[in-house]
Amino acid sequence: RLHCNLRSGTKNLPGVLISEIGGAFGVLESHVEFLKKHFTLITMKEFQENQKELSEKIKSVFVFERQPIIDRELLESLPNLKVVGNSGVGVNHLDLKLISSFGVKVTNTPHAVSDSTADIGHGINAGHFIATSPDTTHFAVDWLGVEVTRATLGIIGMGSIGYQVAKRAKAFHMNILYHNRNRRKEEEEKEVGATYCKNMEDLLQQSDFVMLVVNLTPETQKLIGKRQLELMKPTATLINICRGAVVDQDALVDALQKGTIRAAALDVTYPEPLPRDHLLLKLKNVIITPHIGTATVQALRMMTEEAIENILAVLNDLPIPSEVIHK
């Protein structure tokens, strides 16, 4: 078993608080040696057992799989804390206002997840039910319905992941539309052949596939609801690879049951996992994967590396590659 006790030779390294090593939500054992090169690792269990000695040594917290939870009590017990380094893009589990009130910076890892999350958008197998159903005796020639090649893809959210999706879609000769708070530079649009839709409604009406790649904020909560689904083509597929709460799930169930849209492919839901009796699990025109967009060995390693780079930048008063600013 791996232990993270303070040992000679590590005393000069800054202390980083982590949830645990291994287990369902702990830091991956394969990442531990890498972290130890830069930090003295302190688990929550060790910190709670020896808070008096360890509280002043901890200068950073490494948040992996939303753990440890950063609340007021923890912040008050860490007088020398300078940075919370989140592994992953989404920071809706962090109270940015509270953390910044303690003079602590927050960072995330937007670059590490771009490729793997973009890949899941095209990697969901729409034939899953047909291939695995006990009722299938043959594969009908018309079950796919809409070819990806030369179809129209509408990307909602053209950040780093959305842009990587567009690059992949270009290879399929797709007609690419996108909606974003800010328009991309003209040369970036040209590189992937994407057309900007200032109004999301225009994108919804024209797209064969609508892919959601936005951050979860109060503005994007239930961004796709009954009205937006009704604007989509009845032959269209909704793909969500960002956060479950961006879609009104009740409205989605209704739209899928009534044929308002053809299908949905979801890598994210709320809650995760869904209750086992949820209607989304019973519909034949839905594919659900267990939030695996970033679940590749390479992506998780890159997320850890990027988080470490951010933490070290803060501790050494260097420019921070990916700081999350509380607005």
Side-chain angles (χ1 to χ4, degrees), residues 124-167:
I124 296 171
N125 177 8
H128 171 79
F129 284 111
I130 289 172
T132 60
S133 169
D135 303 323
T136 298
T137 55
H138 65 284
F139 290 164
V141 294
D142 62 349
W143 69 267
L144 257 179
V146 182
E147 272 196 25
V148 171
T149 304
R150 284 179 286 280
T152 298
L153 171 67
I155 300 171
I156 298 176
M158 191 64 117
S160 55
I161 295 172
Y163 197 70
Q164 292 297 334
V165 168
K167 282 184 176 178

Side-chain angles (χ1 to χ4, degrees), residues 17-20 24-27 44 61-70 74 84-87 93-94:
L17 183 65
I18 61 172
S19 57
E20 59 178 332
F25 303 106
V27 173
M44 277 298 290
V61 181
F62 176 55
V63 178
F64 184 79
E65 293 292 325
R66 300 179 168 226
Q67 301 292 329
I69 292 162
I70 312 292
L74 182 64
V84 172
N86 185 64
S87 180
H93 55 292
L94 297 173

Side-chain angles (χ1 to χ4, degrees), residues 146 151-156 175-178 197 200-211 231-238 261:
V146 182
T152 298
L153 171 67
I155 300 171
I156 298 176
N175 174 30
I176 303 165
L177 308 175
Y178 79 96
C197 292
M200 189 173 76
E201 288 77 10
D202 294 339
L203 178 148
L204 293 170
Q205 288 172 324
Q206 296 176 68
S207 299
D208 298 306
F209 297 90
V210 173
M211 190 175 293
L231 285 170
M232 289 171 65
K233 296 179 182 181
T235 53
T237 298
L238 179 71
I261 64 170

Side-chain angles (χ1 to χ4, degrees), residues 14-34:
V16 64
L17 183 65
I18 61 172
S19 57
E20 59 178 332
I21 293 172
F25 303 106
V27 173
L28 299 180
E29 298 200 8
S30 57
H31 294 187
V32 168
E33 288 309 314
F34 184 60

Side-chain angles (χ1 to χ4, degrees), residues 187-313:
E187 57 266 31
E188 291 173 335
E189 290 181 347
K190 278 184 179 168
E191 189 190 341
V192 293
T195 303
Y196 180 61
C197 292
K198 189 174 182 185
N199 296 317
M200 189 173 76
E201 288 77 10
D202 294 339
L203 178 148
L204 293 170
Q205 288 172 324
Q206 296 176 68
S207 299
D208 298 306
F209 297 90
V210 173
M211 190 175 293
L212 305 174
V213 209
V214 296
N215 289 325
L216 180 59
T217 65
E219 293 76 41
T220 61
Q221 190 109 16
K222 295 194 177 177
L223 181 69
I224 303 297
K226 183 175 187 288
R227 195 174 74 82
Q228 289 74 26
L229 290 161
E230 285 173 351
L231 285 170
M232 289 171 65
K233 296 179 182 181
T235 53
T237 298
L238 179 71
I239 303 169
N240 188 5
I241 60 172
C242 54
R243 284 289 185 271
V246 170
V247 176
D248 180 337
Q249 282 182 176
D250 293 336
L252 179 59
V253 167
D254 192 52
L256 290 165
Q257 285 175 329
K258 290 178 178 172
T260 307
I261 64 170
R262 180 179 157 271
L266 313 171
D267 187 44
V268 286
T269 58
Y270 68 93
E272 289 177 354
L274 287 170
R276 297 297 86 187
D277 60 350
H278 198 284
L279 280 171
L280 275 176
L281 300 179
K282 296 177 167 54
L283 295 171
K284 291 284 200 299
N285 51 347
V286 183
I287 296 286
I288 300 177
T289 50
H291 204 145
I292 56 172
T294 56
T296 68
V297 173
Q298 295 90 340
L300 290 172
R301 173 73 179 202
M302 284 169 67
M303 281 160 67
T304 297
E305 289 175 5
E306 194 173 345
I308 288 171
E309 189 184 350
N310 283 316
I311 291 170
L312 292 173

